[in-house]
mmCIF file of all heavy atoms in Angstrom:
data_model
loop_
_atom_site.group_PDB
_atom_site.id
_atom_site.type_symbol
_atom_site.label_atom_id
_atom_site.label_comp_id
_atom_site.label_asym_id
_atom_site.label_seq_id
_atom_site.Cartn_x
_atom_site.Cartn_y
_atom_site.Cartn_z
ATOM 1 N N ALA T 79 0.824 -1.210 0.001
ATOM 2 C CA ALA T 79 -0.007 0.006 0.003
ATOM 3 C C ALA T 79 0.883 1.200 0.006
ATOM 4 O O ALA T 79 2.098 1.181 0.173
ATOM 5 C CB ALA T 79 -0.904 0.012 1.198
ATOM 6 N N VAL T 80 0.297 2.407 -0.229
ATOM 7 C CA VAL T 80 0.893 3.623 0.066
ATOM 8 C C VAL T 80 0.678 3.930 1.569
ATOM 9 O O VAL T 80 -0.444 3.906 2.052
ATOM 10 C CB VAL T 80 0.318 4.809 -0.788
ATOM 11 C CG1 VAL T 80 0.976 6.093 -0.384
ATOM 12 C CG2 VAL T 80 0.615 4.522 -2.229
ATOM 13 N N TYR T 81 1.803 4.150 2.259
ATOM 14 C CA TYR T 81 1.703 4.413 3.698
ATOM 15 C C TYR T 81 1.861 5.913 3.944
ATOM 16 O O TYR T 81 2.817 6.541 3.463
ATOM 17 C CB TYR T 81 2.850 3.672 4.406
ATOM 18 C CG TYR T 81 2.564 2.181 4.631
ATOM 19 C CD1 TYR T 81 2.533 1.373 3.498
ATOM 20 C CD2 TYR T 81 2.155 1.649 5.852
ATOM 21 C CE1 TYR T 81 2.259 0.015 3.645
ATOM 22 C CE2 TYR T 81 1.900 0.366 6.007
ATOM 23 C CZ TYR T 81 1.927 -0.506 4.913
ATOM 24 O OH TYR T 81 1.638 -1.836 5.025
ATOM 25 N N TYR T 82 0.953 6.445 4.728
ATOM 26 C CA TYR T 82 0.951 7.810 5.118
ATOM 27 C C TYR T 82 1.164 8.046 6.574
ATOM 28 O O TYR T 82 0.537 7.297 7.366
ATOM 29 C CB TYR T 82 -0.417 8.457 4.753
ATOM 30 C CG TYR T 82 -0.790 8.408 3.260
ATOM 31 C CD1 TYR T 82 -1.492 7.352 2.711
ATOM 32 C CD2 TYR T 82 -0.415 9.467 2.398
ATOM 33 C CE1 TYR T 82 -1.836 7.359 1.406
ATOM 34 C CE2 TYR T 82 -0.731 9.443 1.041
ATOM 35 C CZ TYR T 82 -1.445 8.317 0.567
ATOM 36 O OH TYR T 82 -1.807 8.313 -0.761
ATOM 37 N N CYS T 83 1.933 8.987 6.936
ATOM 38 C CA CYS T 83 1.930 9.383 8.340
ATOM 39 C C CYS T 83 1.036 10.661 8.493
ATOM 40 O O CYS T 83 0.857 11.444 7.568
ATOM 41 C CB CYS T 83 3.380 9.605 8.852
ATOM 42 S SG CYS T 83 4.200 11.103 8.213
ATOM 43 N N ALA T 84 0.517 10.759 9.693
ATOM 44 C CA ALA T 84 -0.398 11.828 9.957
ATOM 45 C C ALA T 84 -0.130 12.390 11.400
ATOM 46 O O ALA T 84 0.352 11.662 12.282
ATOM 47 C CB ALA T 84 -1.842 11.333 9.854
ATOM 48 N N ALA T 85 -0.548 13.561 11.641
ATOM 49 C CA ALA T 85 -0.325 14.261 12.897
ATOM 50 C C ALA T 85 -1.633 14.924 13.325
ATOM 51 O O ALA T 85 -2.376 15.433 12.490
ATOM 52 C CB ALA T 85 0.869 15.272 12.881
ATOM 53 N N ARG T 86 -1.886 14.953 14.583
ATOM 54 C CA ARG T 86 -2.988 15.746 15.195
ATOM 55 C C ARG T 86 -2.500 16.438 16.385
ATOM 56 O O ARG T 86 -1.685 15.850 17.162
ATOM 57 C CB ARG T 86 -4.106 14.856 15.499
ATOM 58 C CG ARG T 86 -3.873 13.789 16.602
ATOM 59 C CD ARG T 86 -5.130 13.035 16.953
ATOM 60 N NE ARG T 86 -6.208 13.932 17.370
ATOM 61 C CZ ARG T 86 -6.390 14.329 18.623
ATOM 62 N NH1 ARG T 86 -5.535 13.987 19.647
ATOM 63 N NH2 ARG T 86 -7.358 15.168 18.903
ATOM 64 N N PHE T 87 -2.938 17.643 16.581
ATOM 65 C CA PHE T 87 -2.596 18.386 17.777
ATOM 66 C C PHE T 87 -3.309 17.822 18.990
ATOM 67 O O PHE T 87 -4.540 17.918 18.990
ATOM 68 C CB PHE T 87 -2.871 19.903 17.573
ATOM 69 C CG PHE T 87 -2.321 20.707 18.678
ATOM 70 C CD1 PHE T 87 -1.028 21.044 18.854
ATOM 71 C CD2 PHE T 87 -3.293 21.190 19.700
ATOM 72 C CE1 PHE T 87 -0.566 21.815 19.952
ATOM 73 C CE2 PHE T 87 -2.842 21.953 20.741
ATOM 74 C CZ PHE T 87 -1.490 22.282 20.837
ATOM 75 N N GLY T 88 -2.573 17.312 19.924
ATOM 76 C CA GLY T 88 -3.124 16.694 21.060
ATOM 77 C C GLY T 88 -2.486 15.379 21.455
ATOM 78 O O GLY T 88 -1.615 14.904 20.657
ATOM 79 N N ALA T 89 -2.817 14.923 22.565
ATOM 80 C CA ALA T 89 -2.057 13.752 23.070
ATOM 81 C C ALA T 89 -2.602 12.388 22.614
ATOM 82 O O ALA T 89 -1.887 11.388 22.520
ATOM 83 C CB ALA T 89 -2.032 13.791 24.616
ATOM 84 N N VAL T 90 -3.901 12.387 22.342
ATOM 85 C CA VAL T 90 -4.559 11.064 22.130
ATOM 86 C C VAL T 90 -4.416 10.619 20.690
ATOM 87 O O VAL T 90 -4.725 11.312 19.789
ATOM 88 C CB VAL T 90 -6.068 11.153 22.446
ATOM 89 C CG1 VAL T 90 -6.776 9.813 22.217
ATOM 90 C CG2 VAL T 90 -6.287 11.642 23.863
ATOM 91 N N PRO T 91 -3.914 9.366 20.540
ATOM 92 C CA PRO T 91 -3.658 8.827 19.235
ATOM 93 C C PRO T 91 -4.918 8.107 18.614
ATOM 94 O O PRO T 91 -4.986 6.858 18.614
ATOM 95 C CB PRO T 91 -2.511 7.872 19.442
ATOM 96 C CG PRO T 91 -2.718 7.328 20.838
ATOM 97 C CD PRO T 91 -3.346 8.454 21.600
ATOM 98 N N TYR T 92 -5.864 8.836 18.220
ATOM 99 C CA TYR T 92 -7.082 8.305 17.670
ATOM 100 C C TYR T 92 -6.784 7.433 16.429
ATOM 101 O O TYR T 92 -5.692 7.500 15.789
ATOM 102 C CB TYR T 92 -8.109 9.345 17.278
ATOM 103 C CG TYR T 92 -8.583 10.187 18.468
ATOM 104 C CD1 TYR T 92 -8.234 11.475 18.763
ATOM 105 C CD2 TYR T 92 -9.511 9.515 19.407
ATOM 106 C CE1 TYR T 92 -8.689 12.163 19.815
ATOM 107 C CE2 TYR T 92 -9.999 10.245 20.463
ATOM 108 C CZ TYR T 92 -9.553 11.551 20.728
ATOM 109 O OH TYR T 92 -10.045 12.227 21.766
ATOM 110 N N ASN T 93 -7.688 6.586 16.082
ATOM 111 C CA ASN T 93 -7.537 5.636 15.009
ATOM 112 C C ASN T 93 -8.302 5.913 13.750
ATOM 113 O O ASN T 93 -8.495 5.094 12.900
ATOM 114 C CB ASN T 93 -7.755 4.221 15.440
ATOM 115 C CG ASN T 93 -9.210 3.956 15.885
ATOM 116 O OD1 ASN T 93 -10.026 4.868 15.913
ATOM 117 N ND2 ASN T 93 -9.456 2.748 16.294
ATOM 118 N N THR T 94 -8.845 7.140 13.627
ATOM 119 C CA THR T 94 -9.644 7.529 12.449
ATOM 120 C C THR T 94 -8.956 8.690 11.727
ATOM 121 O O THR T 94 -8.461 9.615 12.333
ATOM 122 C CB THR T 94 -11.057 7.965 12.918
ATOM 123 O OG1 THR T 94 -10.966 9.034 13.824
ATOM 124 C CG2 THR T 94 -11.816 6.797 13.510
ATOM 125 N N PRO T 95 -8.979 8.620 10.414
ATOM 126 C CA PRO T 95 -8.304 9.691 9.628
ATOM 127 C C PRO T 95 -8.843 11.051 9.931
ATOM 128 O O PRO T 95 -8.152 12.054 9.925
ATOM 129 C CB PRO T 95 -8.597 9.289 8.216
ATOM 130 C CG PRO T 95 -8.815 7.765 8.237
ATOM 131 C CD PRO T 95 -9.452 7.544 9.564
ATOM 132 N N SER T 96 -10.131 11.199 10.213
ATOM 133 C CA SER T 96 -10.778 12.422 10.398
ATOM 134 C C SER T 96 -10.228 13.164 11.599
ATOM 135 O O SER T 96 -10.395 14.426 11.737
ATOM 136 C CB SER T 96 -12.305 12.308 10.551
ATOM 137 O OG SER T 96 -12.609 11.515 11.665
ATOM 138 N N GLN T 97 -9.586 12.491 12.496
ATOM 139 C CA GLN T 97 -9.045 13.106 13.718
ATOM 140 C C GLN T 97 -7.665 13.754 13.531
ATOM 141 O O GLN T 97 -7.186 14.480 14.417
ATOM 142 C CB GLN T 97 -8.946 12.109 14.807
ATOM 143 C CG GLN T 97 -10.266 11.636 15.350
ATOM 144 C CD GLN T 97 -11.006 12.623 16.203
ATOM 145 O OE1 GLN T 97 -10.408 13.703 16.658
ATOM 146 N NE2 GLN T 97 -12.247 12.464 16.502
ATOM 147 N N TYR T 98 -7.084 13.518 12.352
ATOM 148 C CA TYR T 98 -5.740 14.038 12.089
ATOM 149 C C TYR T 98 -5.763 15.270 11.196
ATOM 150 O O TYR T 98 -6.488 15.272 10.197
ATOM 151 C CB TYR T 98 -4.919 12.939 11.521
ATOM 152 C CG TYR T 98 -4.576 11.903 12.556
ATOM 153 C CD1 TYR T 98 -5.533 10.869 12.813
ATOM 154 C CD2 TYR T 98 -3.353 11.940 13.240
ATOM 155 C CE1 TYR T 98 -5.281 9.954 13.857
ATOM 156 C CE2 TYR T 98 -3.105 10.962 14.211
ATOM 157 C CZ TYR T 98 -4.071 9.945 14.569
ATOM 158 O OH TYR T 98 -3.754 9.046 15.502
ATOM 159 N N ASN T 99 -4.878 16.150 11.425
ATOM 160 C CA ASN T 99 -4.893 17.522 10.814
ATOM 161 C C ASN T 99 -3.901 17.563 9.681
ATOM 162 O O ASN T 99 -4.101 18.349 8.696
ATOM 163 C CB ASN T 99 -4.551 18.566 11.791
ATOM 164 C CG ASN T 99 -5.479 18.555 13.032
ATOM 165 O OD1 ASN T 99 -5.048 18.201 14.171
ATOM 166 N ND2 ASN T 99 -6.740 18.863 12.865
ATOM 167 N N TYR T 100 -2.800 16.846 9.763
ATOM 168 C CA TYR T 100 -1.712 16.947 8.855
ATOM 169 C C TYR T 100 -1.280 15.615 8.305
ATOM 170 O O TYR T 100 -1.305 14.641 9.068
ATOM 171 C CB TYR T 100 -0.493 17.670 9.476
ATOM 172 C CG TYR T 100 -0.862 18.991 10.169
ATOM 173 C CD1 TYR T 100 -1.080 19.016 11.505
ATOM 174 C CD2 TYR T 100 -1.018 20.167 9.445
ATOM 175 C CE1 TYR T 100 -1.389 20.251 12.150
ATOM 176 C CE2 TYR T 100 -1.357 21.387 10.111
ATOM 177 C CZ TYR T 100 -1.542 21.381 11.456
ATOM 178 O OH TYR T 100 -1.877 22.529 12.065
ATOM 179 N N TRP T 101 -1.021 15.669 7.020
ATOM 180 C CA TRP T 101 -0.625 14.382 6.319
ATOM 181 C C TRP T 101 0.605 14.523 5.500
ATOM 182 O O TRP T 101 0.873 15.582 4.869
ATOM 183 C CB TRP T 101 -1.797 13.987 5.459
ATOM 184 C CG TRP T 101 -3.042 13.639 6.189
ATOM 185 C CD1 TRP T 101 -3.970 14.464 6.639
ATOM 186 C CD2 TRP T 101 -3.485 12.280 6.644
ATOM 187 N NE1 TRP T 101 -4.925 13.785 7.355
ATOM 188 C CE2 TRP T 101 -4.618 12.443 7.347
ATOM 189 C CE3 TRP T 101 -2.919 11.040 6.453
ATOM 190 C CZ2 TRP T 101 -5.334 11.306 7.875
ATOM 191 C CZ3 TRP T 101 -3.555 9.963 6.944
ATOM 192 C CH2 TRP T 101 -4.762 10.113 7.677
ATOM 193 N N GLY T 102 1.368 13.486 5.442
ATOM 194 C CA GLY T 102 2.488 13.406 4.502
ATOM 195 C C GLY T 102 2.040 13.047 3.112
ATOM 196 O O GLY T 102 0.934 12.761 2.799
#
């Protein structure tokens, strides 16, 4: 697959894409 890293401001590592603000 194509693997993407993502970041969200905050401590909790949610498992849904919608929770992440930034993407590689």
